[in-house]
Amino acid sequence: MSQQHPQQPESKKSWFARHKILTAIGGVFAFALAVSIATGNGDSGVGTAADAPSDTVAASQREQTDDKPAAEKADMKKELSQADQFKAFVDENGTDTEKAAAAHVTKVQGADESNGILDAAEVYTDFTGGLMGPHRGEGKLLASAFADWKDSKNGLVTIYDEAGEILSNGTY
């Protein structure tokens, strides 16, 4: 007779123990989601004074020192588009070459939004030629002027030409 070896029972590991990599990825995702919820990075619109960008504080201080009443300036600011606000800032604070480049700005998006993860703004112009075209220098000037206008620890501004091609980008 042949001697039979008793079969060892199969190891009954849990799904998580058998799939360590997927478990780790899921854990990281769950942690990131929990942190996002806990820090309130949703679209509730509720924030604290610590969340306010430093340029807002500086703007309110400038408003108090100007001759025009603050309420009148606030009404004017609400009426201006982001592009007009950016152009007004460059006209007041920029160099002559920045002012000339800002005259070609047609639209600004995302300048008033801050999500705490990656702030991304877009500036559209009527320049042509894209990244390798003749107006890439003006694109860099606009990115630099935007960084002077807005301040973020993690902001990225992208400058586009009239065809929607990237002209330049920079951090702000």
Side-chain angles (χ1 to χ4, degrees):
M1 279 192 160
S2 72
Q3 188 175 16
Q4 291 184 349
H5 295 286
Q7 290 186 357
Q8 299 205 357
E10 288 185 27
S11 173
K12 294 272 185 177
K13 291 183 178 180
S14 70
W15 186 91
F16 299 106
R18 288 181 285 138
H19 298 94
K20 291 178 178 85
I21 294 173
L22 292 176
T23 301
I25 292 171
V28 169
F29 177 75
F31 178 75
L33 181 63
V35 168
S36 176
I37 291 170
T39 58
N41 286 334
D43 292 326
S44 66
V46 178
T48 63
D51 295 333
S54 61
D55 62 313
T56 305
V57 175
S60 65
Q61 290 172 347
R62 278 193 304 263
E63 286 178 5
Q64 292 173 356
T65 60
D66 290 342
D67 294 332
K68 292 184 179 181
E72 183 180 327
K73 283 195 156 204
D75 289 340
M76 284 178 38
K77 212 171 203 184
K78 287 180 185 176
E79 294 174 12
L80 295 177
S81 68
Q82 291 180 33
D84 291 336
Q85 291 175 29
F86 176 55
K87 287 178 183 180
F89 174 83
V90 173
D91 284 342
E92 185 176 324
N93 301 299
T95 65
D96 290 337
T97 52
E98 287 175 334
K99 291 175 185 178
H104 293 272
V105 172
T106 58
K107 182 179 179 182
V108 176
Q109 284 183 249
D112 60 351
E113 300 170 5
S114 177
N115 63 15
I117 298 170
L118 174 64
D119 299 329
E122 300 170 335
V123 177
Y124 296 89
T125 67
D126 59 6
F127 289 125
T128 58
L131 193 58
M132 299 305 288
H135 298 289
R136 66 178 173 238
E138 287 93 338
K140 274 296 186 196
L141 282 173
L142 289 172
S144 174
F146 191 91
D148 291 340
W149 180 47
K150 292 290 181 178
D151 187 33
S152 172
K153 291 180 182 176
N154 55 2
L156 175 68
V157 61
T158 305
I159 314 298
Y160 294 97
D161 69 3
E162 71 178 1
E165 295 181 31
I166 295 177
L167 189 61
S168 181
N169 62 17
T171 57
Y172 68 96

